[in-house]
Amino acid sequence: MKKTINVSNQGATLDTGRRNFLKLSGVGLAMAGLTLIGCDDNEFDFMETSAFDLGKGDVGVLNYAYALEQLEADFYTKVVNNFYSGISNAEKQIFTDLYHHEVIHRDFFKAAISGATSNVLPTLEFQYPNVNFNDRNSVLATAKALEDTGVAAYNGAGKYITNADYLVIAGKIVSVEARHASAIRNLINPGSAAFSGDDVIDANGLDLAKEPKDIVMVAGGFIKTPFTWEEQGIG
């Protein structure tokens, strides 16, 4: 009988009994300290509009990351609750690990932002109009797009973070996201160089970095709940 995995309102933790290269290792413990770091309420403005504004300064960047982690967690929740036809046990394991990681990232950001400010992005609604969750190629293509976008998003937003502690945490999380991207790319093209292809690695051998406005244009098709980020010209 197929086991359904549901997101817990109390958060999620990894099964530390399983050992594979996708593990978070000590990243989760290291991130815990971020919840103790406060943000000045002056860093954000309340917008009297129908759409939530992510805010200014570090608060805006954290809410931006939270939005992307909500999207990834929602996507993988749908994948693991109804695995596509013919999926192998190895692929089930990888998707289950990615699911756990993204739920941890999502719940971490929610807790961290809530401990720092009242300007917390609400739970978003998502849509997948062109995704067939029962088709391997469709699921893998979408996972690839989301993971590649996530890595580029963290890399591009890093320069807007002023708190050094936040920057360290973002660096830890993006390293995990990069492992996700490589794992998905290897499932699509096993044993090839696609895991770090020229489409995501620049001439200096570094992952691509993209501006928030470019990321929102790409991910916006999945996001039903409107939000703005006036500081970045998104609205």
Side-chain angles (χ1 to χ4, degrees), residues 10 20 22 36 48 83 124 135 139 148 150 189:
Q10 302 301 315
N20 58 61
L22 286 174
L36 302 178
E48 293 185 356
F83 285 122
L124 302 175
D135 179 77
V139 170
D148 288 348
N189 294 296

Side-chain angles (χ1 to χ4, degrees), residues 119-138:
N119 196 55
V120 184
L121 181 72
T123 300
L124 302 175
E125 279 191 85
F126 303 99
Q127 59 189 0
Y128 307 91
N130 299 314
V131 181
N132 179 356
F133 283 93
N134 195 45
D135 179 77
R136 180 180 186 270
N137 291 334
S138 182

Side-chain angles (χ1 to χ4, degrees), residues 169-207:
I169 297 306
K172 292 177 181 290
I173 294 177
V174 74
S175 71
V176 177
E177 297 292 352
R179 277 178 266 172
H180 292 178
S182 293
I184 293 297
R185 283 167 163 265
N186 190 62
L187 288 179
I188 296 173
N189 294 296
S192 72
F195 77 96
S196 59
D198 291 340
D199 57 326
V200 288
I201 304 296
D202 66 20
N204 296 313
L206 302 175
D207 279 310

Side-chain angles (χ1 to χ4, degrees), residues 5 21 33 42 44-45 52-53 56 75 82 92 97 116 121 135 144 161-162 169 214-215 217 229:
I5 302 175
F21 79 103
N42 291 328
F44 63 88
D45 294 326
F52 179 92
D53 189 78
K56 295 181 178 179
F75 172 75
N82 186 27
K92 283 184 179 180
D97 283 339
L121 181 72
D135 179 77
K144 175 177 173 288
I161 300 174
T162 60
I169 297 306
D214 297 326
I215 294 296
M217 285 183 62
W229 193 1

Side-chain angles (χ1 to χ4, degrees), residues 3 6 14-15 17 69 94 137 148 154 168 190 205 212 217 223:
K3 181 179 179 181
N6 294 306
L14 286 175
D15 175 2
E69 296 297 352
I94 289 175
N137 291 334
D148 288 348
Y154 276 100
V168 169
M217 285 183 62
I223 303 173

Side-chain angles (χ1 to χ4, degrees), residues 76-104:
Y76 287 117
T77 297
K78 287 178 169 55
V79 172
V80 300
N81 279 337
N82 186 27
F83 285 122
Y84 51 77
S85 179
I87 188 171
S88 67
N89 288 332
E91 290 180 0
K92 283 184 179 180
Q93 183 68 69
I94 289 175
F95 278 117
T96 300
D97 283 339
L98 267 58
Y99 156 81
H100 281 297
H101 293 183
E102 301 300 358
V103 168
I104 288 171

